[in-house]
Amino acid sequence: DQNWLVESYVRAYLLYLLATFLVVVTMLSWALLVKDPCVTADGLHSEMSKTYGSAFSCGMIRIGAYLFVAFTVLPQTYALWCVWSFCEDLRVGIHSPELSSLMIGQDAVFVKNPQEPLKQSMRNAQYGAVPVGGEHPIFGSEHETNYPPGPMY
């Protein structure tokens, strides 16, 4: 079983991804959150201040910086979680198809499990009816499809 070999490569990639994530988060946080974004983006701030005023433009730049950091960090966090989860699957021994099975021209392998006995017994039952005390449906055998419904008796 060469599962440990694949896991070691994926774990190495996970460490690389974590290192790049930490570098990106550190640089973005320093440039856009720790330092004042209005000072960092001075050219944008001075151009916006001519039209909208200094306070409004600085506020918009700060909001934009917070959103930029959030929308940059969240996908990277999700990617880290996906790779870590795959590493855990490999560690536990869950074998999935290899990536080479996704190549064009490869036949997909589908394993069909036999259906549960309950599903097979319900297949022959009347549609929309739950068998109670035999083969009789709960709501009768006729359904009113006219609106408004006619008299019940």
Side-chain angles (χ1 to χ4, degrees):
D1 190 311
Q2 294 184 1
N3 192 32
W4 63 271
L5 185 62
V6 173
E7 182 185 359
S8 63
Y9 287 126
V10 176
R11 291 250 181 224
Y13 175 69
L14 178 66
L15 291 175
Y16 169 77
L17 190 62
L18 180 64
T20 57
F21 172 77
L22 292 175
V23 168
V24 166
V25 167
T26 302
M27 298 300 286
L28 279 176
S29 297
W30 177 256
L32 298 176
L33 302 178
V34 174
K35 292 174 70 177
D36 188 14
C38 298
V39 174
T40 306
D42 186 42
L44 178 64
H45 181 253
S46 63
E47 287 299 317
M48 283 182 66
S49 295
K50 293 176 185 175
T51 307
Y52 301 109
S54 180
F56 179 80
S57 62
C58 187
M60 292 308 295
I61 290 173
R62 285 182 181 155
I63 290 172
Y66 296 145
L67 289 175
F68 181 76
V69 170
F71 285 122
T72 303
V73 170
L74 285 176
Q76 291 180 351
T77 305
Y78 180 70
L80 272 170
W81 180 80
C82 289
V83 173
W84 171 81
S85 177
F86 182 66
C87 288
E88 290 300 306
D89 285 348
L90 290 175
R91 184 182 62 82
V92 171
I94 298 174
H95 300 286
S96 300
E98 294 182 3
L99 290 177
S100 63
S101 67
L102 297 176
M103 290 179 8
I104 296 174
Q106 293 285 332
D107 294 334
V109 177
F110 293 101
V111 178
K112 293 187 176 182
N113 296 328
Q115 293 199 1
E116 300 172 16
L118 177 63
K119 288 182 182 177
Q120 288 186 2
S121 67
M122 291 298 290
R123 182 180 297 175
N124 297 330
Q126 190 173 1
Y127 177 75
V130 178
V132 176
E135 294 293 323
H136 303 290
I138 293 176
F139 301 109
S141 61
E142 295 182 19
H143 300 284
E144 180 65 48
T145 59
N146 296 327
Y147 185 81
M152 293 185 65
Y153 301 106

